[in-house]
Amino acid sequence: MRFSFFVVHLHIRMRYADVILPVPLDGLFTYAVPDGMSVRAGNRVLVPFGKNKTYLAVIVRLHDTEPQGYTVKPIAQVMDVEPVVTSQQLALWQWVSDYYMSPIGEVYKAALPAGLKAEDGYHPKTETYIRLTEPYRNEAALHIALNVLGRAKKQLEAFVAYLELSGWDRVEDRPHGSVAEVTREELMNVSGASADTLKMLEKRKMLETYEVEVGRLNHGGTYKPELIKPLSAPQQEAYNQVMMSMMRKQVTLLHGVTGSGKTEIYIHLIQRALERKEQVLYLLPEIALTVQMMQRLQRVFGDKLGIYHSKYSDAERVEIWQKQLSGHPYEVILGARSAVFLPFQRLGLVIVDEEHETSYKQQDPAPRYHARSTAIMLAQLSKSSDSRIPRVLLGTATPSLESYHNARIGKYGLVELKERYQGIELPEIQLVDMADLTRRKMAAGPFSPLLLTRVREALERGEQAILFQNRRGFAPMIECRQCGWVPHCQHCDVSLTLHRQMNQLTCHYCGYTYRVPTECPCCGSTDLRTKGYGTEKIEEQVRDVFPEARIARMDLDTTRTRNAYERIISDFSAGRTNILIGTQMVSKGLDFDKVSVVGIINADSMLNYPDFRAYEHAYMMMAQVSGRAGRKNRRGLVILQTRQKDVPVIRQVVHNDYQGLYRDLIAERQAFRYPPYYHLTYVFLKHRHDEVVNTAGIELGSRLRQWFGSRVLGPDKPSVAKVKSQNIRKLVLKLETGIDMKRVREYLLMARAQMMADKRYASLQIYYDVDPL
């Protein structure tokens, strides 16, 4: 019998992984998955890149299609057993990358905490504990140890203190002979022992230390939740309308006046979501706001609440991220804009409080995303197993024109709450004509007599005042009285701000500092004087006028740490300070019971700004800071100082006339092709040499006009045309709603690629700012 043998050639198909690298390059990168390596989408992997670099990448998808034209490198190492990025998050990253025309590697860098972006970047927090060594864990050995230590008094005291703290001195009385764990710090505090004393006990092999991993997420212990307060009749009506709106619309705008109690409505909505076993994301525009809101929400939701923002340490943010992936995630996340990138398992409600705030828009570095728009997309991508899309609630007293327009045309639901809680009246706003006072020589520096009188009366009644000046530092500039010389930054096209407390001139664009000159470098004059007022100068003059007052200042210079925010707000809330001076930080939703007077020191600085949104933003800031006055049982007073009392927006602030503002501005926007009727995209070009960026701007403008025609404006120099030694040109693209934005993005990316392929522009930067603010 003959046997036929067939040689079977088995072709084992190679697996490949498309990954995101933390580099500013478009697209995904493909690597081979070695045999036996177990990986999943969302895992972090260590991969080689270039000749000698290694990056931590995130896997987007796995496939068996071999790339053509180059040798595929293998993945070097898998960093996770379970994915650290969910499929919903990866989809959101891709949307942010596509919509805001930013490389997905930039989105990855913005979304992940730093500790998850490096193979050795995160280390669990540990605490050192101390215990008896094995030979001494019996009564006879303990007696021997005590005898041995008889002549070493400090060691004996520390050893006895340990026995008492741990319970070894009465171990027979404890259930199952158990002993308590003792930290080294606790033992040192109780016994007064030094570290050297404990080391000697370790050297004698009587005690030993060991490390225990502890969390960083304890915000003050266990909370006993309070009962949720019942809503007032107007609040209940608004709540019911929100619930009805959410049945029909994915996004609802809650337009409630300052002090109307929108937060209580949010709390009831959160409670309803938790009863449905859903998670809630509550976004705030400023870290300062999270301090007060955290306290309010913790009183109701206790340890169900997690906090996430950039003032937390990176290790804390990593632990929150990991908890959100665990089987016991926080049910409510309160955070600033970066919280939209956290993982959620059963998201049901997103609240965007103070939705009008420009702080929701990321500026630099990329991606230049808007957290409000990103939160709406997050909800759309977080569809539950029963196909229910989470609902989004936008809340504010001063809606952005775009959001209000969307509500007016029916794209969003609209609910209005027009009266303050408990029927308290909106603050009275008194207008002060500073031009007239200056002419009559009645102004005391930046203060009108009326403002000083009302602040003094408030202090005498035991009440508080807020003074709003939207410019930090001591003075915006110094000037030579002889020749007019003004010091400018060497790296930026701006004058330098004087910070007297630090005795230096600072550039608020690049951060570079200079010593304060004693004489003019142009003419030699020593007559150098400050011009204008910053919050630091306002604080100095208020201290001169009210020496008995307890004054705090809240601006970027005084709030660089999380503890600084908390201390300033806590002190003012508790009455330990009674005058708060600040920039726009003090306008953003803070709630202080005893504030009866608010002073807007210079409204004109907000009006005279070369931007089509200047009046909208000015109204919002003035209306919001005015709303801090008169929250409990008393109508507040606002003193609004201006030299332009006849400008329409000033009247609209005085009369709380948002509808009038909307009518005026929406007509202008339509006539001049601005949002919400047109989409805006700014195109920025940067280069060290002005002639290069000028030539590039003209050439790029010509390319774009071939596709978009008259929709392209520029190039022009922006108001600040040089930052960090980079000269800048700007083009504006105005696109009507309904245009194919996918095709638009393809053309814009193609234009950038064509420009960057030109050797003349090797070091040129071109980037896009979509929906700029």
Side-chain angles (χ1 to χ4, degrees):
M1 182 180 291
R2 298 183 63 186
F3 293 89
S4 297
F5 292 90
F6 296 91
V7 179
V8 180
H9 297 278
L10 295 176
H11 176 67
I12 300 174
R13 306 192 78 175
M14 192 71 161
R15 283 197 308 158
Y16 299 93
D18 293 341
V19 306
I20 303 170
L21 289 175
V23 293
L25 300 174
D26 292 314
L28 304 176
F29 297 83
T30 303
Y31 287 84
V33 181
D35 290 343
M37 180 178 282
S38 177
V39 292
R40 294 163 59 186
N43 279 144
R44 295 172 305 151
V45 290
L46 209 57
V47 296
F49 188 74
K51 291 183 178 180
N52 51 16
K53 289 185 178 179
T54 304
Y55 284 115
L56 200 64
V58 174
I59 295 178
V60 175
R61 59 178 171 265
L62 297 165
H63 58 87
D64 55 12
T65 304
E66 182 177 1
Q68 301 300 312
Y70 63 93
T71 302
V72 183
K73 296 179 180 180
I75 293 172
Q77 185 180 347
V78 185
M79 305 304 296
D80 314 298
V81 176
E82 296 294 330
V84 298
V85 183
T86 68
S87 59
Q88 291 170 343
Q89 288 175 289
L90 291 172
L92 183 67
W93 291 11
Q94 190 61 59
W95 178 84
V96 171
S97 173
D98 291 342
Y99 186 82
Y100 293 103
M101 288 184 284
S102 177
I104 196 165
E106 299 279 17
V107 184
Y108 161 24
K109 290 198 291 184
L112 274 185
L116 293 177
K117 289 181 288 193
E119 58 269 29
D120 59 351
Y122 167 71
H123 300 284
K125 182 180 179 181
T126 62
E127 193 162 11
T128 303
Y129 281 72
I130 203 156
R131 65 190 173 196
L132 288 174
T133 58
E134 185 68 34
Y136 287 94
R137 293 176 192 170
N138 63 78
E139 188 173 351
L142 287 177
H143 283 296
I144 294 172
L146 293 171
N147 288 330
V148 170
L149 296 173
R151 293 185 179 181
K153 182 181 177 184
K154 291 183 179 179
Q155 293 177 45
L156 178 63
E157 289 174 350
F159 193 75
V160 171
Y162 168 76
L163 297 178
E164 291 173 348
L165 286 171
S166 63
W168 268 104
D169 61 334
R170 54 193 184 281
V171 68
E172 66 279 358
D173 299 328
R174 287 175 168 264
H176 309 296
S178 62
V179 294
E181 290 191 299
V182 179
T183 67
R184 183 169 61 183
E185 182 181 13
E186 182 184 10
L187 179 57
M188 291 171 68
N189 288 339
V190 170
S191 68
S194 66
D196 288 339
T197 299
L198 296 186
K199 283 180 181 177
M200 288 303 298
L201 288 169
E202 289 181 58
K203 195 172 181 180
R204 290 179 184 269
K205 299 191 183 303
M206 293 178 178
L207 295 179
E208 64 184 9
T209 60
Y210 62 103
E211 300 295 316
V212 175
E213 185 174 331
V214 294
R216 296 174 171 89
L217 304 182
N218 183 6
H219 301 293
T222 303
Y223 298 92
K224 294 182 179 179
E226 297 177 357
L227 292 175
I228 296 179
K229 295 177 183 178
L231 298 175
S232 66
Q235 288 173 330
Q236 187 65 51
E237 176 62 24
Y239 173 85
N240 294 340
Q241 290 182 28
V242 169
M243 294 301 301
M244 290 295 293
S245 174
M246 285 181 171
M247 294 173 65
R248 302 187 302 270
K249 305 283 185 182
Q250 188 212 342
V251 183
T252 297
L253 173 65
L254 175 58
H255 179 197
V257 298
T258 56
S260 57
K262 295 185 289 295
T263 303
E264 291 302 323
I265 296 175
Y266 300 156
I267 288 172
H268 279 254
L269 291 168
I270 293 170
Q271 180 60 32
R272 183 178 181 278
L274 299 190
E275 289 169 357
R276 294 165 56 101
K277 307 299 182 185
E278 296 173 340
Q279 289 176 290
V280 178
L281 171 60
Y282 190 139
L283 290 179
L284 287 166
E286 283 284 349
I287 295 167
L289 286 179
T290 66
V291 176
Q292 276 199 337
M293 194 57 65
M294 176 183 72
Q295 295 166 353
R296 292 182 70 174
L297 295 184
Q298 275 179 340
R299 287 197 294 268
V300 178
F301 300 112
D303 56 10
K304 297 175 183 176
L305 176 71
I307 318 296
Y308 191 84
H309 56 64
S310 60
K311 292 294 182 185
Y312 273 42
S313 71
D314 183 66
E316 286 175 306
R317 282 180 283 157
V318 170
E319 291 189 4
I320 292 171
W321 186 287
Q322 292 177 332
K323 184 173 175 62
Q324 292 308 96
L325 291 168
S326 73
H328 303 283
Y330 286 118
E331 295 176 55
V332 183
I333 286 289
L334 175 68
R337 63 174 178 250
S338 59
V340 296
F341 293 119
L342 277 172
F344 291 92
Q345 301 179 35
R346 50 183 191 279
L347 187 64
L349 175 64
V350 178
I351 297 170
V352 184
D353 200 7
E354 309 295 347
E355 67 84 28
H356 63 279
E357 277 291 344
T358 57
S359 303
Y360 279 125
K361 182 71 159 71
Q362 166 73 10
Q363 300 299 337
D364 285 312
R368 296 169 181 84
Y369 68 97
H370 198 299
R372 181 184 62 211
S373 302
T374 306
I376 293 171
M377 181 52 61
L378 169 66
Q380 291 181 14
L381 294 171
S382 301
K383 188 183 296 184
S384 63
S385 56
D386 60 358
S387 297
R388 184 182 185 277
I389 297 175
R391 294 313 191 229
V392 179
L393 182 65
L394 311 179
T396 179
T398 53
S400 65
L401 249 68
E402 287 87 342
S403 292
Y404 196 70
H405 178 73
N406 284 335
R408 290 281 294 264
I409 64 174
K411 183 177 179 180
Y412 298 168
L414 176 62
V415 176
E416 297 190 289
L417 185 55
K418 298 182 178 180
E419 63 179 81
R420 280 186 152 187
Y421 182 65
Q422 295 182 336
I424 296 171
E425 290 184 89
L426 287 167
E428 176 189 1
I429 301 180
Q430 295 184 5
L431 205 60
V432 175
D433 186 349
M434 293 300 287
D436 179 60
L437 289 180
T438 303
R439 201 164 40 247
R440 293 191 286 154
K441 300 183 179 179
M442 293 178 62
F447 309 119
S448 64
L450 178 63
L451 176 59
L452 295 178
T453 298
R454 295 294 179 257
V455 170
R456 181 173 288 107
E457 290 171 352
L459 298 182
E460 289 171 353
R461 293 193 300 266
E463 296 168 348
Q464 294 171 307
I466 291 176
L467 300 179
F468 172 60
Q469 173 73 347
N470 201 31
R471 188 184 291 274
R472 65 187 175 98
F474 187 84
M477 66 177 70
I478 59 174
E479 181 183 64
C480 174
R481 290 296 299 273
Q482 293 296 318
C483 69
W485 171 80
V486 173
H488 280 71
C489 179
Q490 297 173 7
H491 310 287
C492 307
D493 187 22
V494 291
S495 59
L496 297 170
T497 300
L498 174 63
H499 289 254
R500 180 173 283 181
Q501 203 167 35
M502 296 179 285
N503 193 34
Q504 64 188 23
L505 296 170
T506 302
C507 175
H508 284 177
Y509 280 78
C510 71
Y512 205 82
T513 58
Y514 303 79
R515 66 176 186 84
V516 180
T518 55
E519 63 178 39
C520 174
C522 292
C523 70
S525 171
T526 57
D527 191 4
L528 303 177
R529 302 190 185 182
T530 61
K531 295 196 70 176
Y533 294 86
T535 49
E536 193 180 333
K537 190 173 183 179
I538 296 294
E539 179 186 14
E540 180 182 275
Q541 298 205 359
V542 169
R543 290 189 187 279
D544 291 340
V545 178
F546 302 108
E548 75 287 355
R550 304 179 302 279
I551 300 166
R553 173 162 55 91
M554 187 168 160
D555 55 29
L556 187 62
D557 298 321
T558 62
T559 57
R560 295 193 181 275
T561 66
R562 184 173 88 207
N563 291 338
Y565 275 108
E566 295 175 358
R567 187 187 68 254
I568 293 169
I569 292 169
S570 174
D571 286 351
F572 197 62
S573 295
R576 289 187 288 271
T577 53
N578 52 14
I579 297 180
L580 180 61
I581 299 162
T583 56
Q584 57 183 319
M585 287 182 181
V586 302
S587 72
K588 298 184 178 182
L590 295 169
D591 188 0
F592 301 115
D593 292 350
K594 294 183 179 180
V595 173
S596 61
V597 176
V598 168
I600 300 174
I601 293 172
N602 182 7
D604 307 324
S605 63
M606 294 174 275
L607 301 176
N608 303 329
Y609 195 77
D611 186 88
F612 73 95
R613 285 194 173 94
Y615 280 11
E616 178 187 5
H617 291 164
Y619 177 92
M620 289 171 176
M621 273 193 278
M622 287 189 279
Q624 288 286 340
V625 76
S626 298
R628 303 313 109 208
R631 288 301 186 100
K632 293 287 174 72
N633 307 319
R634 179 185 177 91
R635 189 184 190 193
L637 175 67
V638 179
I639 307 298
L640 194 161
Q641 301 182 163
T642 179
R643 295 174 180 271
Q644 304 178 64
K645 61 184 178 64
D646 296 322
V647 172
V649 70
I650 296 294
R651 293 198 308 273
Q652 288 155 353
V653 171
V654 170
H655 298 294
N656 193 40
D657 184 13
Y658 177 82
Q659 298 295 333
L661 175 85
Y662 177 78
R663 284 194 302 271
D664 287 353
L665 295 186
I666 205 71
E668 289 181 5
R669 301 280 180 90
Q670 189 169 21
F672 295 104
R673 300 193 299 171
Y674 281 109
Y677 297 101
Y678 283 76
H679 293 291
L680 282 188
T681 297
Y682 290 166
V683 186
F684 287 99
L685 302 93
K686 293 184 177 180
H687 197 276
R688 289 188 67 84
H689 300 296
D690 191 67
E691 62 274 14
V692 173
V693 78
N694 188 60
T695 303
I698 294 169
E699 186 174 329
L700 180 57
S702 178
R703 287 179 187 272
L704 294 180
R705 285 189 182 89
Q706 293 176 12
W707 295 317
F708 302 113
S710 61
R711 299 180 183 92
V712 180
L713 304 177
D716 292 306
K717 287 186 175 183
S719 55
V720 178
K722 183 181 178 183
V723 175
K724 298 180 181 178
S725 300
Q726 296 286 314
N727 295 282
I728 307 171
R729 292 296 185 276
K730 172 181 161 186
L731 294 119
V732 177
L733 194 59
K734 291 184 175 180
L735 302 165
E736 59 272 24
T737 55
I739 199 169
D740 186 346
M741 291 303 295
K742 185 177 179 181
R743 290 284 300 277
V744 168
R745 286 190 280 272
E746 288 174 358
Y747 285 136
L748 290 175
L749 294 173
M750 187 191 308
R752 181 169 65 185
Q754 290 171 350
M755 292 290 293
M756 300 310 292
D758 191 325
K759 291 181 180 179
R760 293 176 299 162
Y761 306 133
S763 56
L764 179 72
Q765 297 178 50
I766 302 175
Y767 65 86
Y768 301 107
D769 189 0
V770 179
D771 300 337
L773 290 180

